[in-house]
Amino acid sequence: MLTPDDFLAALHERGARRIRCVRFRANRSTVWSLTQRGTVLNVHAVFSRADDEILESFATLAREGHAESRRGRSASAAIMSWPPLHDEIARLRKEHSAERRTTGRSSCCGTPEQRSYLRALYDYFNQTRFGGALPSDIPVRLSDRMRSSLGHMRIDEDSDDGRRVAEIALNLDLMLEGNGAERADTLLHEMAHAADYLESGHAGHGPSWKAWARRVGCRPTTLYDRPVRRRRPRNRPLQRVPPLPASLSPRAAPTELDVID
Ligand SMILES: [Zn+2]
């Protein structure tokens, strides 16, 4: 294992005299960067295990001062394709997503009753609008952190076995009385994103999403400027559980949107 000083000495031995400092960085994004006019080299901490060939590549980059030249480009390519780097980045990303799962950064702010309401509504729409095309286990949660946004569908970027949806989240405000139509439309909107992503790999509002939106009966537009009621004040807790659609509850009601309001 090299220390930053060993690394620096190795660069100097290879003629990269301009570098006066090497810093090891442990994160998921920086592989290497030259800062302070090419005198400081920041490298991912995994390069403390660099072999001769990789040290030579870094020396080339440091001598050139950038990766724009032919030599710089090929040195950079050698560094970027170094297998231990890929293993380490994959490991850090896994660790990060496990952390996100356990620290509750994406935890639901709703009550257990609100969660089971959303689950039931999701299952209901999956059966009645999507023909059961969606996985039954996509997490659906409420968020009290969204400002203008009403919902989102997040894909699982760390999935090793094909496309996976990490979650659907809805703005807590949608649980207010009077927001039934927008609540239904937003959930369908996000479910359409999930179906589209799983089917086509697309995550935007393009033609394949619009096709799903029309098929399942939600508005084929983005979620901005929707007429929703908001909590006042913004941080007011909200434990309301709206009534479920008629076919799921003993209550009879004239139309679906009336019932889920
Ligand atoms: Zn959308």
Side-chain angles (χ1 to χ4, degrees), residues 17-194:
R17 309 291 318 176
R18 275 186 70 190
I19 304 290
R20 50 175 184 78
C21 176
V22 170
R23 292 181 187 140
F24 287 168
R25 300 269 192 236
N27 61 38
R28 286 169 294 124
S29 51
T30 308
V31 174
W32 67 270
S33 66
L34 276 166
T35 56
Q36 305 193 21
R37 287 194 291 272
T39 62
V40 175
L41 177 67
N42 306 289
V43 299
H44 194 285
V46 71
F47 291 111
S48 63
R49 287 159 30 208
D51 53 23
D52 273 351
E53 209 176 311
I54 289 295
L55 286 169
E56 187 52 49
S57 297
F58 275 115
T60 302
L61 276 179
R63 283 193 306 262
E64 301 280 309
H66 51 76
E68 314 305 313
S69 61
R70 193 182 55 77
R71 274 194 213 131
R73 271 200 307 276
S74 82
S76 172
I79 290 165
M80 299 306 282
S81 61
W82 192 48
L85 171 68
H86 287 258
D87 297 347
E88 182 63 6
I89 295 221
R91 193 187 66 77
L92 286 170
R93 286 179 60 183
K94 274 228 162 67
E95 204 176 86
H96 172 75
S97 61
E99 212 172 86
R100 202 163 52 194
R101 277 193 291 274
T102 53
T103 57
R105 226 179 72 189
S106 301
S107 69
C108 179
C109 71
T111 64
E113 292 76 20
Q114 288 176 322
R115 270 197 287 283
S116 51
Y117 164 82
L118 287 177
R119 192 80 252 152
L121 199 56
Y122 174 93
D123 291 341
Y124 172 73
F125 283 154
N126 192 19
Q127 292 315 315
T128 57
R129 309 279 186 106
F130 289 81
L134 287 171
S136 58
D137 60 352
I138 292 179
V140 184
R141 70 178 179 97
L142 288 170
S143 167
D144 56 3
R145 304 234 181 127
M146 292 180 188
R147 294 264 153 212
S148 53
S149 165
L150 291 180
H152 71 230
M153 181 280 296
R154 196 162 55 76
I155 62 180
D156 181 355
E157 289 170 10
D158 301 324
S159 171
D160 295 327
D161 51 346
R163 294 176 200 135
R164 247 177 48 86
V165 172
E167 68 168 16
I168 285 173
L170 300 187
N171 190 317
L172 179 62
D173 285 340
L174 289 169
M175 299 301 270
L176 286 169
E177 196 166 358
N179 283 344
E182 294 303 330
R183 187 184 322 121
D185 202 75
T186 304
L187 181 56
L188 287 168
H189 179 114
E190 302 307 341
M191 290 173 75
H193 275 308

